[in-house]
Amino acid sequence: MPELFGVSDILDVISMQHFVQNMVSIPLIQPVIDFLLQIPVLGYIVALILWKPMFALLIFPGLMTLLTVLLFIIWFERKLTARIQWRKGPLEVLRWAGGVIQALADGLRYFFQEVIVHRDAHRLYFLQFPILIFIPVLLPLLFIPAGTIVGIKSPYSLAITVAVVSLIPVFIVAIGWASNSRFAYIGTVREAFMYFAYEIPFIISVISMILVYGTADMVTIVERQAIPGIILNPIAALVFFITTVMATSRLPFEIPEADQEIAFGPFVEYSGIMFGLVMTIAYEKMYILSLLMSILFLGGGNGPAIPLLGDISGVIWLFIKAMAVMVSLAFLRSIYARLRLDQALRVSWTTIMKISLVSLAIGVIINLTTVGVVG
Amino acid sequence: MTEREVVLDVPVQPPTDLFLPIPKKFLEEAYRGDDYVVLVGPQHPGSGHMRLILRIKGDVILEAIPDPGYVHRCMEKLAENRLYIQNIPLFERPAIMDTGNVTLGYVRAIENALDVEVPERAKYIRMILAELSRIGTHLYDAGILAVFLGHTTGFMWPFALREPIVEAITRISGVRVTSSFIIPGGVRRDVPWKTLEFVRKTTFVLEKRLKSFEKIFIRNPTVIERLKDVGVLSKEEAIKFGVVGPFLRASGVEYDVRAVEPYEAYDSVSWEIPISDHGDSYSRFLVRVEEIAQSISIIRQAVNELRSMPEGNIISEDILQEYSEVASSDIRGFFFKVFGNLVLPSGEFTSLTEAARGTLLYSIISDGESNIPYRARVITPGWYYLKGFMEALRGERLADLQAIYGSFGYFPPEADR
């Protein structure tokens, strides 16, 4: 049996040559990059960062963009809501920019607040789940293609992403269980109910899009969208959007958290930075699902290519589309009231389930008629 | 002299068992019946300053026990140590926006005792103030209802709409909220026509803004879904549990103190009593929305009436007596001289007022010789309909607690007094 990886293979993989072969090309700053690549250690680091999988992990859609989006969308949501409600919204932190770093200031404040672990909590799990939850939150970002930049290419990337995203509520249920409080308990039960209610239509709409494109590889899906998916199967897009609202517990489906009823549900006992972590989960999930929606229905990184930016133009188009989806999700908060749990369950198990089946039928029809054309 | 240790032989033992505001039997029964006892409040975001003890089976409330009194301020006892006139600012404290109606009730009880006839112009000014307060309270309650449903826009808009009303009250009385403008025998001072014109214009602004509020909140499908057929009180139940005010009218009982025993100038303006037959949370809300429209119409009619009246003479001569020449259009400078030694004849004097949230009862007992009341009794609408509120919760879902709470506009400081 031959050796799987020899020493020379490993050296090959971590060699600068390997990174340079698969590098993000940005014609605008190419001379700068070329110059930096000449410098011994810095060149290696630059090559590593610009290596497409590493770029996907660190810059877009990975960590840096995630953090920026978190800071931005929380501020933007507050500002938008404030504008609708005849208010000013966050303003005092960095006044000339309209308080844009308010979320950062809040995060810093959380850092210096005491993390209280109450007597009844299951201490170990209470403290570790808010951190563990970042595994299912960050993992899908590796599979999401931004133009030609993608972390891990896989023929099953869409399926993997959806599967990992589906794990998030399990962690939230675990958080509620570890909190061991009445309101957390009620919130956890609500979260579990909502989980089952939205997950099935959500997966059905994704499957119908897999049928439309004939593949579960997101890179191929984006390539095949000469016509955006929202025109091919608008009903699937509708189902996906509504279930995204449910999955990220935005209004009118902000049922598990419901701060007036059960005081933030599963997260009621958290304080300090732990609260900061659990509070952002919904926003991170919203970011991932918005990316997924732009890839499935809005053509992902497709768009008029900007020659000067090279590979970055796909990144920019995907970012713009994802932000548009996120903004429309943020807009819902100032329009709707919160539904009751049973009403939300009734809506999702009847109406949304029905239209998701219709979207599946459309997917099957498109799959059968276009087989051989795109499939 | 040596110091001596003083030992008081008082048997004091610290309590050994946990104090709960619930009967022990209630807890034991709930435990045996596999129910869940949830204490909502008093530090809960959706409970106000009170505690609600709920017995829940699954998601359904089997029983609700109120535990009010967290904002009790001994108002009635305090009133026994103050001059009659000093009690006006005291009694208007419980209700934030309802200053007009709350002071009107107390002042009318005094006027009943003294048998004073209020000048016509003062009656209309008082009515305007009362109706402005009514609109303000209804908007306040609509905002609280909206935020209980998670609708933050529906919370912010009424609170912003309240602002023109507060401004109007400021221009009339000089104070934003607790105006103490209504005094026995009339009002403190005359209102110039410019201010009246502002009040009239305010009603048009309100009407216009309320239309956009209607679009985003009142006719919002999620709001209707949440409030319709929730917390239903039938006509019989509403009467049995002593529900008052707009909440009684929402259950189909056409009772309004303003119409049954008209006070001030309510019998000389035309207005309707909005009623609904459903008795659910949504109709309780809609009745109050309709009352805002009626109040706006009353204010406009009153302003029109006031225009044709001569200015001045807004305090009764029976009260002013020798100061009637100098203070008939402005009490400033003569306030203590006129009211400092006000003594009521002995007896019990009662007044019923239709405050924004319902019937408000004042009862003053006087011994006939002192300038402070012997006993003052206030029963606020919140206290009247607390029982009905608790009964409406029975059989509803836990998530509906806030919807029903908001639909009643229950206001603990007002109920606790």
Side-chain angles (χ1 to χ4, degrees), chain A residues 43-244:
Chain A
Y44 186 79
I45 293 170
V46 168
L48 182 64
I49 289 173
L50 287 180
W51 182 46
K52 277 179 183 173
M54 193 55 86
F55 188 85
L57 182 68
L58 288 182
I59 315 280
F60 186 90
L63 279 175
M64 261 187 64
T65 319
L66 177 70
L67 287 176
T68 320
V69 164
L70 272 185
L71 289 182
F72 173 76
I73 196 70
I74 293 174
W75 169 81
F76 181 81
E77 185 184 352
R78 291 180 62 180
K79 209 74 180 166
L80 179 79
T81 318
R83 184 54 58 85
I84 293 168
Q85 296 171 354
W86 312 339
R87 295 187 284 125
K88 285 244 170 19
L91 186 67
E92 291 301 325
V93 189
L94 205 64
R95 213 167 212 285
W96 58 268
V100 72
I101 57 165
Q102 179 68 45
L104 187 69
D106 287 345
L108 278 176
R109 179 168 61 81
Y110 287 144
F111 256 108
F112 293 107
Q113 277 176 339
E114 187 188 357
V115 176
I116 299 165
V117 183
H118 59 288
R119 213 182 304 155
D120 294 339
H122 196 303
R123 195 184 177 88
L124 183 68
Y125 295 128
F126 186 76
L127 288 176
Q128 85 185 29
F129 275 130
I131 299 160
L132 280 183
I133 201 167
F134 277 85
I135 298 170
V137 167
L138 294 176
L139 211 52
L141 291 175
L142 278 177
F143 295 93
I144 286 167
T148 55
I149 297 164
V150 57
I152 301 172
K153 268 187 194 162
S154 159
Y156 310 110
S157 59
L158 183 55
I160 295 170
T161 308
V162 170
V164 175
V165 168
S166 302
L167 276 178
I168 298 174
V170 178
F171 281 84
I172 294 178
V173 168
I175 282 174
W177 171 78
S179 293
N180 195 10
S181 130
R182 263 148 219 262
F183 291 118
Y185 168 74
I186 295 169
T188 307
V189 172
R190 287 182 177 193
E191 173 76 33
F193 270 117
M194 288 300 287
Y195 177 40
F196 285 105
Y198 71 74
E199 203 62 34
I200 296 168
F202 175 74
I203 290 173
I204 289 176
S205 78
V206 171
I207 289 174
S208 70
M209 289 322 282
I210 293 178
L211 286 171
V212 167
Y213 301 125
T215 173
D217 184 359
M218 281 197 267
V219 179
T220 327
I221 283 176
V222 172
E223 278 167 12
R224 287 188 183 163
Q225 283 189 63
I227 309 166
I230 196 165
I231 297 170
L232 289 174
N233 195 345
I235 292 171
L238 181 69
V239 173
F240 194 97
F241 187 78
I242 296 171
T243 48
T244 303

Side-chain angles (χ1 to χ4, degrees), chain B residues 53-66:
Chain B
I53 300 148
L54 305 172
R55 195 168 139 195
I56 293 167
K57 192 164 197 91
D59 196 22
V60 178
I61 298 169
L62 293 181
E63 202 174 345
I65 303 176

Side-chain angles (χ1 to χ4, degrees), chain A residues 84-87 182-183 185-186 190 251-252 259-261 333-340 342-343 346, chain B residues 36-37 44-46 147 149-153 156-157 160 209 220 222 225-226 230 397-400 402:
Chain A
I84 293 168
Q85 296 171 354
W86 312 339
R87 295 187 284 125
R182 263 148 219 262
F183 291 118
Y185 168 74
I186 295 169
R190 287 182 177 193
L251 287 163
D259 45 339
Q260 288 87 10
E261 288 160 19
R333 177 176 142 181
S334 39
I335 303 175
Y336 286 117
R338 185 188 304 114
L339 285 174
R340 222 187 309 143
D342 57 323
Q343 289 163 346
R346 200 188 314 128
Chain B
Y36 213 55
V37 175
H44 186 276
V147 81
L149 298 180
H151 197 297
T152 44
T153 308
M156 292 292 171
W157 284 17
R209 294 287 178 134
N220 191 317
T222 52
E225 188 84 348
R226 274 304 297 273
V230 165
R397 287 174 186 276
L398 179 62
D400 284 333
Q402 267 68 40

